[in-house]
Amino acid sequence: MRKLATIEEVQSLEPIPDADRIELAKIRGWNVVVQKGLYEVGDLVVYFEIDSMLDIEMPQFQFLSDRGVRTDADGFKGHVVKTMRLRGQYSQGLASPISEFDLSGPVGGDVTDLLGVRKWEPLIPASLSGRVRGRLPSWVHKTDSERIQNCEYLFPLENVVATEKIDGSSATYSLHQEEGFHVCSRNLSLYRTDGNTFWNIADRLDIEKVLHGYLKDSDALTVTVQGELFGEGIQSNRLGVKGHRFAAFNFEVDGIPQDIPSEFEAVPRIDSKPPTSLSEALEGVDGMMSHINPKRLAEGLVWRLRDNQPFPDGNRTVKAISNKYLLKETK
């Protein structure tokens, strides 16, 4: 599970031009605008990543209610931490003095559950929700990718392949010799229901037949394709795509990654020099245009090792998201 709230150390503090009351703190790999003079380098803070949903009923978070409150699918109301731009500086996340929470622990300690922090998830359209068959099958890898700000120790990135990060809905299609065909959202296997977009794509692309072809030609037990479902009605369709499309980013036979078969559209591969630092990675994606629709901003890039093995920290992929995209800036 994603660590949304952790105990961290203020690594550095830098002045912001023409700003008397705020300064820029570096916390882990993130830049966070903080009150000037509130912290010193080395101070411990509780850091809340972007997409954290904070309970405004807690005294420590009540001041955030004036900045906006959202309601999730469970009816929970809270403030969602998002990327901001203050005096020309990107600020990602929220830092609070550790003394406000009466906490102690090691740097990196996860306090997400302790503080009741939830991950903000936009409401799912009816066309994507479907009827739940069960959890994601046990032989299928979850498709979450770690943000590069949390993986600064991986630099310089070497022997990697870069692909465009598409802002859609994660989809998994998997065929098991004994358990049959599974159509899945990010976390759940879904029964066939009328109008469900995941199943509509499966039927349109004849995915079960395609996967069966790879399964019968081998002694494998499972074959799986994973990718991004995007288009009208999905994540605001920021790329302006008509209809619905499925772009594959992972194909496995018995859990072993293979090249994406020609039967599937693949996410665009980006031929670019691997970044040697965190700042280079973030600057490289900021303002990058999409290869799906060159008139629209790309969400960012995803890197994986060329041999499809996990990175040394166990992550299968890492991603950098464009701050301009997050701020919904347009050209």
Side-chain angles (χ1 to χ4, degrees):
M1 297 296 291
R2 182 173 168 186
K3 297 180 180 180
L4 293 168
T6 53
I7 297 172
E8 302 292 348
E9 184 179 89
V10 177
Q11 297 173 305
S12 66
L13 291 165
E14 297 180 8
I16 297 175
D18 302 319
D20 297 327
R21 298 182 179 180
I22 55 176
E23 57 189 341
L24 192 64
K26 184 174 182 181
I27 299 173
R28 209 161 63 217
W30 301 86
N31 291 328
V32 187
V33 172
V34 298
Q35 178 184 327
K36 193 170 185 178
L38 182 60
Y39 303 114
E40 294 183 357
V41 174
D43 281 354
L44 293 181
V45 299
V46 179
Y47 172 67
F48 303 92
E49 280 195 15
I50 56 175
D51 297 328
S52 295
M53 193 173 190
L54 309 180
D55 185 359
I56 55 172
E57 295 299 319
M58 289 182 61
Q60 298 92 335
F61 302 135
Q62 285 178 353
F63 75 98
L64 295 169
S65 59
D66 292 338
R67 302 184 187 180
V69 176
R70 296 188 181 186
T71 303
D72 67 13
D74 296 326
F76 177 81
K77 295 181 183 296
H79 174 79
V80 179
V81 179
K82 289 293 184 182
T83 298
M84 298 187 295
R85 196 170 190 177
L86 303 169
R87 292 296 181 93
Q89 302 292 327
Y90 289 119
S91 179
Q92 294 189 291
L94 173 70
S96 297
I98 194 171
S99 58
E100 290 188 2
F101 300 94
D102 192 27
L103 293 171
S104 62
V107 172
D110 186 4
V111 293
T112 303
D113 292 338
L114 191 62
L115 298 180
V117 179
R118 299 184 176 210
K119 183 180 183 296
W120 165 247
E121 298 282 3
L123 296 177
I124 301 174
S127 61
L128 295 178
S129 56
R131 190 161 62 94
V132 176
R133 176 180 177 181
R135 294 186 179 276
L136 200 67
S138 59
W139 63 88
V140 172
H141 293 288
K142 198 171 180 180
T143 59
D144 287 343
S145 184
E146 184 62 88
R147 286 179 181 266
I148 198 67
Q149 289 95 328
N150 295 329
C151 306
E152 192 167 6
Y153 47 80
L154 291 179
F155 287 101
L157 292 184
E158 298 176 329
N159 299 317
V160 293
V161 174
T163 55
E164 182 178 334
K165 172 76 172 67
I166 299 174
D167 191 2
S169 187
S170 178
T172 293
Y173 300 94
S174 187
L175 183 62
H176 190 288
Q177 287 275 25
E178 299 172 356
E179 298 194 24
F181 183 52
H182 283 259
V183 173
C184 309
S185 62
R186 180 181 301 279
N187 300 309
L188 302 170
S189 178
L190 304 173
Y191 283 116
R192 176 187 290 276
T193 53
D194 291 341
N196 180 269
T197 307
F198 292 100
W199 272 99
N200 288 346
I201 286 289
D203 291 339
R204 195 179 82 200
L205 301 181
D206 213 358
I207 293 179
E208 183 176 5
K209 181 179 179 180
V210 172
L211 297 184
H212 182 72
Y214 285 89
L215 201 60
K216 74 176 183 179
D217 292 336
S218 70
D219 295 325
L221 185 65
T222 65
V223 60
T224 301
V225 63
Q226 295 174 298
E228 206 72 18
L229 187 62
F230 61 105
E232 294 174 319
I234 302 174
Q235 299 288 63
S236 301
N237 191 20
R238 296 276 298 277
L239 293 179
V241 171
K242 291 185 177 180
H244 297 121
R245 287 165 61 179
F246 172 73
F249 52 66
N250 186 44
F251 182 78
E252 296 181 353
V253 177
D254 272 353
I256 300 174
Q258 314 281 332
D259 291 337
I260 304 296
S262 59
E263 289 92 341
F264 299 107
E265 175 185 359
V267 292
R269 183 165 171 171
I270 309 300
D271 294 323
S272 60
K273 183 179 178 182
T276 59
S277 66
L278 176 60
S279 58
E280 187 177 327
L282 295 175
E283 290 168 5
V285 300
D286 213 26
M288 185 181 81
M289 306 309 288
S290 172
H291 284 235
I292 299 289
N293 183 350
K295 295 181 179 180
R296 301 290 182 94
L297 287 171
E299 185 184 12
L301 287 179
V302 175
W303 291 276
R304 70 180 67 230
L305 291 175
R306 287 186 182 277
D307 59 7
N308 285 316
Q309 294 300 306
F311 285 97
D313 61 356
N315 284 307
R316 296 164 63 83
T317 60
V318 292
K319 62 185 177 184
I321 305 299
S322 163
N323 286 320
K324 286 186 176 180
Y325 188 92
L326 290 173
L327 289 174
K328 295 181 172 56
E329 294 180 5
T330 57
K331 284 196 173 185

